[in-house]
Amino acid sequence: MRRDKVLATAAEALAGVHDGASFAVGGFGLSGIPNVLIQALYDTGVRRIGVVSNNCGVDGGGLGVLLAAGRIAHVTASYIGDNKEFARQYLAGELAVELTPQGSLAERLRAGGSGIPAFYTPAGVGTPVADGGLPLRHNPDGSVALASPPKEVREFDGREYVLEHGIRTDFSLVRAARGDRHGNLVFHKAARNFNPLAAMAGRITIAEVEELTELDPDEVHLPGVFVQRVIALTPEQAADKSIEKRTITPSPARGAADS
């Protein structure tokens, strides 16, 4: 029989989190981020956590809430983006950051979840990603306290490839548009970015679901074997979505009148 994985609250779903734990977190900017679980994680008071995510939210939003509170000790991400607090902590030596090419980060999460310890990729060959020297941590004066070591590079069919390691984390936090009681998930459009990959990488994966329903097996994006805990969002929580950058284009008639 398939196990019912639905729990009543986010706090219950986060049972067992602890100081120093590592988390893979889905989303891209503010698209598809597990806001409810992030806030619940903040409420637990855990500190010195490691985060693997495409980015670290924005100032005051997403993972930026944990970052501003000084709860995050290490971030593995593909870019810093417009998060000024992220940049400040990194340059001030308050935060260790491992920057990874975006495609490599995605594949490292997928590989870890698939039981693949490492793989070779051409991304980063001939750069500090492969050669070493990327600042992992700064001193308070801005100098480099710890730099990345060189990685193994091998040639296959006349082309060089760098060795990257798969990622496994203690927990994963993801958000899905729809899910069933067994943890099978469906993601909506741009939210189907790092969410499935982050879910695969966690030893304990927790999914917040906007709509808890029955799913046709053919529409499942992520099988429930990768998900251990599910919480169903309220309609208000499901509708609470932020826009990272709002761009407004005037209508053709208005634009012609103003020109």
Side-chain angles (χ1 to χ4, degrees), residues 6-143:
V6 177
L7 299 174
T9 66
E12 186 179 355
L14 287 170
V17 301
H18 54 85
D19 289 352
S22 57
F23 294 81
V25 183
F28 188 108
L30 293 181
S31 173
I33 58 174
N35 269 325
V36 173
L37 288 170
I38 290 172
Q39 183 60 48
L41 182 60
Y42 172 86
D43 292 340
T44 67
V46 294
R47 308 187 68 84
R48 302 188 306 279
I49 64 174
V51 169
V52 181
S53 187
N54 176 66
N55 57 292
C56 204
V58 300
D59 293 307
L63 287 169
V65 173
L66 291 165
L67 189 71
R71 305 287 185 82
I72 301 177
H74 184 278
V75 176
T76 300
S78 67
Y79 77 111
I80 292 177
D82 294 331
N83 192 325
K84 295 181 176 59
E85 179 61 15
F86 188 4
R88 187 199 67 77
Q89 290 190 24
Y90 176 42
L91 296 175
E94 301 172 12
L95 182 69
V97 177
E98 178 188 1
L99 291 174
T100 303
Q102 196 165 91
S104 298
L105 178 61
E107 181 62 9
R108 290 179 67 189
L109 289 165
R110 192 202 67 83
S114 301
I116 299 171
F119 59 92
Y120 286 96
T121 173
V125 170
T127 76
V129 170
D131 300 339
L134 283 174
L136 299 177
R137 182 183 289 278
H138 291 87
N139 291 308
D141 64 2
S143 60

Side-chain angles (χ1 to χ4, degrees), residues 169-219:
T169 57
D170 298 318
F171 298 89
S172 290
L173 309 179
V174 299
R175 181 170 183 139
R178 291 184 294 144
D180 64 19
R181 307 190 72 86
H182 312 295
N184 299 300
L185 304 179
V186 173
F187 305 94
H188 183 63
K189 295 186 177 180
R192 190 180 174 185
N193 41 48
F194 276 84
N195 272 302
L197 307 171
M200 293 175 68
R203 295 179 177 87
I204 297 177
T205 293
I206 310 165
E208 60 180 59
V209 176
E210 295 176 14
E211 180 186 359
L212 190 64
T213 185
E214 294 296 322
L215 295 176
D216 185 313
D218 283 340
E219 64 181 334

